[in-house]
Amino acid sequence: MNNNHTAVEVIKAKRDGQELSDEQIAWIVDAYTKGAVDPEQMSALAMAIFLRGMNRREIAQWTQAMIDSGIRLDFSALGKPTVDKHSTGGVGDMITLTLAPLVASFGVAVPQLSGRGLGHTGGTLDKLESIPGFNCSLSDRQILAQLQAVGVVVCAAGDNLAPADKKLYALRDVTATVESIPLIASSIMSKKIAEGTGALILDVKVGSGAFMKSRAQARELAQTMVDLGKDAGVNTVALLTNMDTPLGYAAGNAIEVQQALDVLNGGGPSDIVELTISLAAEMLQAAGRPASEPEIRAALSNGQALIKWREMVAAQGGDPDAPLPVAKHRRDVLAPKSGVLTRLDALAVGVAAWRLGAGRERQGDPVQAGTGVLMHAKPGDAVTAGQPLFTLLTDTPDRFAAAQATLENAYDIGNESNHNPQNLICERIS
Ligand code: URA
C-alpha cells in the first residue's frame, strides 16, 4: 500500500471538502475491491461523498476505477451495432421486456444486462424468472453466442463485470448512501460501459416512485450519466420520464410479464406502448439504424417483436407457451365513492406490491412470482363507488392488511377539473 494514500487520508480529504486526485481514487477503489480497505472505511468515504459530492473529473475517474476492477466485454465480433437501455427504476416498469425484443427485431443487437428488484422498485430479472425455466445466469460466452444467434439477451451481469460496484452498492444499501448523484451515476455507467454496448439510452425516472423526486435532480443525474457515456465513447442519450404514477396496470412479476405479452401481441396499456416506441426510436437512432414511428408501431402489432421475444425466451431455457404462475390468494380494494381518479401514487403501489411479496427486503431474499397489485383505473379514468380499484395478489394472505393500509392514501377521487394530466416523457438530454 502507498503510505501517502492511506484510506484515512482519502476519507479526511473528502470529509473536508477537497477534491480527490485521480491516483487517490484509483487506489482506494482497487484496494477496497481487493479487501485492503475495510468496509467501515469505505462506508465513511461513501458518506463523505454523499455529503460533499464529486466534480466531473472525480466522477469520471471513480467510474473508470470501477470499470478497471473487472473485465470489459467486447461485442466487436458481432458485426452489427449494439444498443442497450437502462432505467433508473420505477413501479410497473417492465419496458425492457417489450423494448429489447422490439429493437432486436430491427437487426440491432441488444445486450441487456439487468438487475433484481430491491425495495419498492421491481427488477427485470425477477420478472423474467417468473417464466417457467427462464435462466438469467449466462456466461460471457453464452451472452455473445445468443447475441449472434438471436440478437437479444436479457440476463444478470456476471461477477467479473465492475465487481467494485457490486461490493460498494451492497455497502451503500445499508449505510444510507444510495441517493447520491455521483455514486448512482458512476455505479450505473461503470456497468454499462464495461458491458461493451456501443450505444445507450437512459430512462431516468422522475417522481414519487423514482430515486429522483424532482426534475432538477433527475436532470443532473441524466446529464452526469450522458457525459460519462460520451467520454467513454458510448453514444448516450437520456429521456426523463414521469414516475409519479405507475406504468401500466400491474406491479409485480408474472403479472408484468403478462402485460408485456399483451403489448407484444399488439395490445396492452397505452403508456407502456408509447414509452416502448419512444425508447425504441431513440435506441435505433443511436445505433445508426433509424426507423420511423409507424414502422416501430407496426413491429408491435404485426408479431415481428413477439417472434424475437419467443426466440429469446426459448434460447434462455424458458417455455414461451407455459402458463405464468398465479398467486394463491386475491383480494379486491373497492372505490369508496364515484368520480374521476385524479392521483395514483407510484411509490405507494410499489410498496404495496413489495409488501405482498413481489419484492425483497434484503439482497438474496426470494420473491413470489405471481404476487403484486393489479390496477383497474389510472388518473383521468371515471370510477364508480364499489368497483374494484385494485386487486391484491399474494401467496401469503397475512400480507393483505399491510398492503391495503399502504394503498389507503395512494389515490384521490375528485372530478374532471381536479385532474391534471402529466406528460409521460418530460425531457430529452443528449
Ligand atoms: N442502480 C444502480 O445500478 N446503482 C445505483 O447506485 C442506483 C441504482
Side-chain angles (χ1 to χ4, degrees):
M1 193 196 306
N2 180 339
N3 284 335
N4 289 329
H5 294 142
T6 62
V8 173
E9 282 174 23
V10 178
I11 298 164
K12 229 189 245 177
K14 188 43 77 183
R15 181 199 66 189
D16 295 342
Q18 292 165 20
E19 278 185 34
L20 301 182
S21 68
D22 289 355
E23 208 187 355
Q24 283 175 315
I25 292 172
W27 175 79
I28 200 151
V29 171
D30 179 56
Y32 173 63
T33 311
K34 291 178 175 151
V37 161
D38 293 330
E40 54 268 33
Q41 292 178 306
M42 198 48 147
S43 304
L45 180 60
M47 186 57 83
I49 293 171
F50 182 96
L51 296 170
R52 293 291 195 170
M54 287 199 284
N55 66 21
R56 183 171 170 173
R57 180 196 54 79
E58 289 174 292
I59 300 172
Q61 183 63 24
W62 190 274
T63 307
Q64 190 58 50
M66 295 212 289
I67 295 168
D68 291 344
S69 71
I71 59 149
R72 195 163 169 173
L73 298 182
D74 179 5
F75 296 131
S76 55
L78 281 177
K80 48 180 168 177
T82 50
V83 63
D84 189 6
K85 182 263 327 185
H86 179 85
S87 158
T88 57
V91 178
D93 184 2
M94 34 51 71
I95 297 288
T96 293
L97 308 187
T98 51
L99 184 64
L102 172 63
V103 172
S105 77
F106 284 84
V108 170
V110 184
Q112 177 81 53
L113 303 192
S114 299
R116 291 179 196 286
L118 193 64
H120 76 276
T121 58
T124 299
L125 301 184
D126 296 326
K127 296 171 209 217
L128 281 169
E129 282 175 350
S130 67
I131 300 169
F134 196 95
N135 174 25
C136 288
S137 304
L138 303 189
S139 67
D140 299 341
R141 274 221 339 256
Q142 287 172 314
I143 292 173
L144 192 63
Q146 187 169 322
L147 282 176
Q148 235 141 15
V150 182
V152 54
V153 61
V154 184
C155 66
D159 288 341
N160 50 9
L161 205 89
D165 175 64
K166 281 201 182 67
K167 212 173 159 185
L168 181 58
Y169 191 81
L171 195 68
R172 287 167 55 211
D173 193 38
V174 293
T175 55
T177 51
V178 169
E179 300 90 344
S180 147
I181 287 177
L183 292 177
I184 295 175
S186 56
S187 166
I188 291 171
M189 294 306 291
S190 64
K191 286 175 286 202
K192 292 293 160 185
I193 295 166
E195 170 197 283
T197 186
L200 176 66
I201 303 304
L202 298 162
D203 180 2
V204 178
K205 301 290 186 197
V206 55
S208 86
F211 268 128
M212 299 292 123
K213 308 292 181 203
S214 77
R215 184 83 77 90
Q217 284 177 319
R219 193 179 293 126
E220 187 186 337
L221 176 63
Q223 192 66 63
T224 306
M225 292 195 290
V226 167
D227 291 345
L228 285 172
K230 286 187 173 163
D231 287 352
V234 179
N235 188 6
T236 309
V237 172
L239 296 184
L240 261 50
T241 70
N242 185 285
M243 191 33 73
D244 280 322
T245 289
L247 279 170
Y249 288 89
N253 296 307
I255 55 176
E256 289 192 40
V257 174
Q258 183 54 56
Q259 203 166 244
L261 284 168
D262 295 343
V263 173
L264 291 167
N265 277 292
S270 60
D271 55 352
I272 292 189
V273 172
E274 295 318 311
L275 187 54
T276 300
I277 290 173
S278 298
L279 289 166
E282 292 287 353
M283 287 173 78
L284 290 167
Q285 172 80 35
R289 298 275 176 89
S292 69
E293 197 234 279
E295 284 171 322
I296 299 171
R297 200 175 285 280
L300 285 178
S301 54
N302 66 15
Q304 177 183 316
L306 181 64
I307 291 170
K308 235 350 127 196
W309 161 268
R310 292 177 63 83
E311 286 173 9
M312 178 188 83
V313 171
Q316 291 185 235
D319 177 355
D321 296 312
L324 292 166
V326 175
K328 295 195 182 92
H329 303 272
R330 54 195 295 142
R331 178 182 289 182
D332 285 338
V333 177
L334 307 182
K337 61 177 183 176
S338 297
V340 170
L341 193 70
T342 55
R343 182 181 68 90
L344 177 57
D345 183 63
L347 177 62
V349 173
V351 171
W354 171 59
R355 289 193 165 156
L356 288 163
R360 53 175 64 80
E361 202 149 342
R362 305 200 67 82
Q363 272 172 5
D365 286 352
V367 299
Q368 295 181 13
T371 285
V373 177
L374 290 173
M375 291 154 264
H376 300 293
K378 295 289 287 284
D381 290 346
V383 297
T384 309
Q387 77 156 79
L389 273 186
F390 306 103
T391 301
L392 312 185
L393 304 164
T394 187
D395 294 334
T396 39
D398 56 335
R399 293 170 179 258
F400 277 136
Q404 210 164 338
T406 307
L407 289 172
E408 248 157 43
N409 296 315
Y411 61 89
D412 291 325
I413 297 175
N415 54 46
E416 188 56 50
S417 63
N418 309 122
H419 175 232
N420 178 20
Q422 302 208 346
N423 287 339
L424 180 56
I425 298 174
C426 319
E427 223 169 295
R428 180 179 190 275
I429 292 178
S430 62

